[in-house]
Amino acid sequence: MGNPNNQVFHVSTDVLPADGSECFDDDGRPKRTGTIWTASARIITAVIGSESLSLAWAIAQLGWIVGPTTMLLYALVTFYTSTLLTTCYCSGDPITGKRNYTYMDAVSANLGSFEVKLCELVQYVNLFGVATGYTIASSTSMMAIKGSNCFHEKGEKNPCHINSNPYMIAFGIVEIIFSQISHFDQLWWLSIVAAFMSFTYSIIELGLSIAKIAETGKIRGSLTGINIGAVTSTQKLWRSFQALGDITFAYSYSHILIKIQDTIQSSPSESKALKKASLISIAATTLFYMICGCMGYAAFGDMAPENLLTGFGFYNPYWMVDIANAAIVIHLICMYQFNCQPLFAYVEKTLVEKFRDSQFLTREIKISIPGYSPYKLKLFPFVWRTVFVIGNTLTSMLLPFINIVELLRALGFWPLTVFFPVEMYIKQKKIPKWRTKWVCLQIVSAGCLIITIAAAAGSIADVILNLKSYKPFSTDY
């Protein structure tokens, strides 16, 4: 998930304070007015997304005991690592120290140059994977709309063959257009649209699950999840690993936490306020996830599809399913920009500073618009952003497996959510090696690494299985 304030790439420079002005904070930046409640809202908006649609399938692989327990466990882990990360907002003194405005600022201030380069690499790979996932997921939802209407007209037993490529291309064209609008991700209303769409399809999914339970009068599912027999023991193992990944990645938002903390007013301290906001938001998110996942599993049992809205767990009312899938598409269009615009700006700023004399990087083309002043098109941003989206779309068309995305997210989850926050906290608090607290923190980090490796292994196994029957650029629904 994303957030309009998710700039994690830029390492900020100091800003001179505006003496005596009540409109500025002590660092010269505009007065921060955020509160515990605004921070909570930002976190909830960033976390709750399309991941909620796969939680019923995840619980179906793990069962009524392990599934919800895993969800609670990762909620606790995410909250704990978030509290560690909040202490890294200020370098030195936790109240009067120099502020770190972004996640990368915090890594740069607390760790070495190698860790900074590693963090950048992880973020780029993770971001490209997320953008690819948005393209695949949006095309799947668009095909689901076409498919549900087809099923409604021809009946559930008549197949409707739909190719995904035109929908991926259409999504790519839209993103190319929006990518040319600088700071598009910072428009205040875009965050509201994204949040509204997210809650729309999640609430529809929840309502349809409850209706399904009421219709059948049964609560389905088992304590251990899907039985060996319905799947092989090997499939059960790999599916369980994938399910752990689905639950784990649903809580991934640490990369934007410092940026959210930078919006909070100084009194009470930003760290204390964000800890409370994290507790409120993670508790609310976990409750919402638990209800969505458990209701979906109760409705469909071990046969719950990987996505309740696109896997046709629901056929009727088809118009409501269409509304939910349309909301997913709009939500993903917004999230694509939230995630990619900071990368676009970072690459452009870095290259312009490095190659100041390059005409290609600084050239502007004036485009005449009747009745308006000429539009100045910056050549390099236009070419670079267009090439990025085209490359992303081609990757999605070439490898339209959602578990390719899960694999990339697995590679990014542990470093960004656990490893860097733990290491920065140890450095910030000067915790000696082999002390009890140091050992406990390393155990938490190692445990999460094992889970991440297992999730990556499950994703790789699923990708290998898909490749056996795969034909490039010819995916049908």
Side-chain angles (χ1 to χ4, degrees), residues 172-181 337:
I173 291 172
V174 171
E175 296 302 349
I176 287 175
I177 294 171
F178 287 151
S179 293
Q180 307 309 320
I181 306 173
Q337 294 301 315

Side-chain angles (χ1 to χ4, degrees), residues 10 16 57 66 91 96 126 133 166 172 178 185 286 327 374 395 404 431 467:
H10 175 55
L16 294 175
W57 181 87
V66 177
S91 297
T96 61
N126 189 56
F178 287 151
D185 59 313
T286 301
T395 302
I404 287 282
I431 302 174
L467 285 172

Side-chain angles (χ1 to χ4, degrees), residues 127 163 244 289 464:
L127 184 140
N163 190 282
L244 290 175
Y289 278 167
I464 292 173

Side-chain angles (χ1 to χ4, degrees), residues 47-113:
V47 176
I48 292 180
S50 56
E51 292 85 356
S52 65
L53 302 175
S54 65
L55 292 177
W57 181 87
I59 296 176
Q61 312 314 307
L62 302 172
W64 278 118
I65 297 177
V66 177
T69 301
T70 302
M71 208 176 295
L72 287 173
L73 178 63
Y74 257 90
L76 292 173
V77 169
T78 303
F79 171 68
Y80 180 64
T81 57
S82 296
T83 61
L84 300 183
L85 191 55
T86 60
T87 63
C88 302
Y89 174 61
C90 292
S91 297
D93 189 275
I95 297 177
T96 61
K98 178 182 176 295
R99 288 186 175 94
N100 297 307
Y101 304 115
T102 67
Y103 190 102
M104 186 61 71
D105 282 349
V107 174
S108 179
N110 290 283
L111 303 176
S113 59

Side-chain angles (χ1 to χ4, degrees), residues 181-243:
I181 306 173
S182 296
H183 307 299
F184 184 71
D185 59 313
Q186 296 177 20
L187 297 176
W188 65 270
W189 55 265
L190 200 63
S191 179
I192 296 175
V193 170
F196 181 74
M197 293 298 123
S198 176
F199 279 101
T200 296
Y201 63 73
S202 297
I203 293 297
I204 289 176
E205 175 218 348
L206 178 59
L208 291 174
S209 295
I210 294 172
K212 183 81 172 179
I213 296 172
E215 179 186 341
T216 60
K218 296 179 180 178
I219 296 179
R220 295 180 171 145
S222 61
L223 295 180
T224 57
I226 190 167
N227 294 321
I228 296 175
V231 295
T232 66
S233 57
T234 303
Q235 287 176 323
K236 172 73 173 179
L237 177 64
W238 295 131
R239 283 181 168 212
S240 296
F241 286 167
Q242 285 178 244

Side-chain angles (χ1 to χ4, degrees), residues 118-119 121-123 125-126 249 404-417 419-420 449 452-453 455-457 459-460:
L118 178 61
C119 185
L121 177 62
V122 169
Q123 287 179 341
V125 171
N126 189 56
F249 306 145
I404 287 282
V405 180
E406 296 299 329
L407 174 59
L408 294 175
R409 292 183 71 183
L411 296 175
F413 173 80
W414 174 72
L416 297 177
T417 304
F419 174 73
F420 285 119
L449 175 60
T452 299
I453 293 172
S459 298
I460 291 171

Side-chain angles (χ1 to χ4, degrees), residues 332-406:
L332 293 177
I333 288 173
C334 298
M335 301 319 298
Y336 193 103
Q337 294 301 315
F338 286 156
N339 280 271
C340 293
Q341 285 270 356
L343 174 61
F344 295 154
Y346 172 77
V347 171
E348 291 156 15
K349 180 177 180 294
T350 302
L351 290 180
V352 167
E353 289 178 350
K354 191 172 184 179
F355 304 101
R356 295 181 183 275
D357 298 329
S358 172
Q359 292 185 357
F360 175 66
L361 295 178
T362 58
R363 185 179 178 186
E364 292 183 349
I365 300 175
K366 291 185 178 180
I367 301 176
S368 298
I369 302 176
Y372 296 91
S373 58
Y375 175 75
K376 294 181 179 180
L377 176 67
K378 295 182 178 180
L379 183 60
F380 173 64
F382 173 75
V383 174
W384 142 242
R385 296 180 183 208
T386 301
V387 168
F388 177 90
V389 177
I390 290 175
N392 207 254
T393 304
L394 288 174
T395 302
S396 304
M397 293 167 63
L398 183 63
L399 295 171
F401 310 139
I402 199 67
N403 276 301
I404 287 282
V405 180
E406 296 299 329

